Amino acid sequence: MPGKPTAGETKRSELHARVQSQFGAAAAAYTTSLVHSDPNALRRVVELAQPKPGDAALDIATGAGHTALALAPHVASVVAFDVTEKMLAETARNAADRGLTNVSTRRGMAEDLPFADASFDIVTVRHAPHHYGDAPRAVREMARVARPGARVIVVDSTAPEDASLAARWNHIEKLRDPSHVQNYTPTEWREMIAGAGLRIFCEETDFCTENGEPMDFHAWVKRSNTPPADVEELARLFREADAGLASALRIRIEGDAIRFCVPQVTFGSIKG
């Protein structure tokens, strides 16, 4: 008989349930999200992945499938993997709309990938690890399912190295979306990736935008269905941000409009 779940397993289960609730309700919004569908950002992931026609690729926490679909024309097959069934349905619909027949979907948790060791030539994740209950474990799983010589690409929102700024930024993210766990600093990401036995060949720190433009606050909270009271508090935090936070997020107040940029980090790494 299976043993009693550990505290860590229980916590991860609760977080996964929260993620499914959050993103299942917003699946369609992620298809049209300018952040997630940004062609320049997707092109950069493909460049770092260095796809070849015979490659098998895995895109973890695929969401509406943007990264998986960007890789699909360049490889033999792509598995679009996500914990949320409605997101996988959105991915399948988007693949069909583009006439892509080499994309399959699979449901599961990033911390426990249901694939054999050394199964993929490319493993990617984009804008998702900040929702993970155990990010180091998930990175180790990415490394495990990668073949020797495989490219493992991680893109995610990040936190400033300054602990106070990082805490305030994570508070804002969690207020906007309760399924948020943590934005990690570039240093923390380096440690996780190297600790999984991957060799980093590229590190880029920049800002996540909407097709090159600063993010629109109201679109940002609408996409996550943030309750009105929390939207009001978030607007206050942005409008009253001190110089350090305003600089870290590139906050611009333009009358009723609030615009900002999410710091992000991109790592390209190789297995073995």
Side-chain angles (χ1 to χ4, degrees):
M1 294 180 65
K4 182 179 179 181
T6 66
E9 289 169 338
T10 299
K11 181 181 179 182
R12 285 197 298 274
S13 179
E14 291 171 351
L15 286 169
H16 295 144
R18 196 177 302 154
V19 167
Q20 291 177 68
S21 174
Q22 176 71 24
F23 289 93
Y30 279 79
T31 288
T32 56
S33 164
L34 294 177
V35 172
H36 296 81
S37 63
D38 186 330
N40 292 324
L42 292 168
R43 192 176 303 116
R44 183 57 179 149
V45 172
V46 173
E47 288 173 355
L48 291 173
Q50 303 171 30
K52 298 188 291 292
D55 282 349
L58 169 65
D59 183 43
I60 301 171
T62 196
H66 295 293
T67 303
L69 304 190
L71 288 168
H74 308 285
V75 298
S77 63
V78 184
V79 177
F81 184 82
D82 203 283
V83 73
T84 305
E85 194 65 53
K86 289 184 178 179
M87 281 295 196
L88 292 175
E90 193 73 10
T91 295
R93 184 180 67 80
N94 291 334
D97 287 347
R98 298 190 195 185
L100 296 170
T101 59
N102 63 338
V103 179
S104 61
T105 61
R106 183 86 178 262
R107 183 171 178 268
M109 301 182 297
E111 296 93 341
D112 294 289
L113 297 177
F115 307 106
D117 295 358
S119 294
F120 298 96
D121 304 287
I122 297 170
V123 184
T124 60
V125 65
R126 182 169 171 258
H127 296 316
H130 57 277
H131 294 288
Y132 290 170
D134 190 339
R137 176 171 169 166
V139 175
R140 291 194 298 272
E141 280 290 273
M142 293 176 75
R144 180 184 65 78
V145 302
R147 291 174 179 145
R151 283 80 69 203
V152 178
I153 313 302
V154 173
V155 183
D156 200 20
S157 49
T158 189
E161 297 286 356
D162 179 273
S164 174
L165 288 175
R168 281 182 282 163
W169 175 221
N170 276 303
H171 170 69
I172 286 171
E173 287 267 53
K174 197 167 186 66
L175 185 60
R176 179 240 184 184
D177 175 1
S179 71
H180 174 83
V181 175
Q182 182 177 344
N183 284 324
Y184 297 93
T185 67
T187 295
E188 289 170 325
W189 269 116
R190 277 182 229 112
E191 292 171 351
M192 278 190 274
I193 293 170
L198 300 169
R199 177 175 61 82
I200 296 170
F201 68 84
C202 176
E203 176 183 342
E204 299 171 350
T205 304
D206 54 10
F207 290 89
C208 176
T209 62
E210 295 179 339
N211 288 344
E213 296 297 321
M215 295 180 66
D216 176 73
F217 171 85
H218 296 290
W220 182 63
V221 293
K222 181 179 179 180
R223 187 165 58 245
S224 57
N225 295 315
T226 307
D230 292 335
V231 171
E232 185 176 344
E233 173 62 8
L234 284 166
R236 183 190 70 78
L237 291 171
F238 274 92
R239 291 183 179 279
E240 297 178 5
D242 62 20
L245 187 62
S247 175
L249 302 183
R250 294 189 175 181
I251 297 172
R252 286 173 19 200
I253 307 299
E254 302 170 347
D256 291 336
I258 300 172
R259 298 195 178 277
F260 68 104
C261 297
V262 172
Q264 73 173 6
V265 67
T266 299
F267 283 96
S269 64
I270 294 176
K271 168 76 172 287

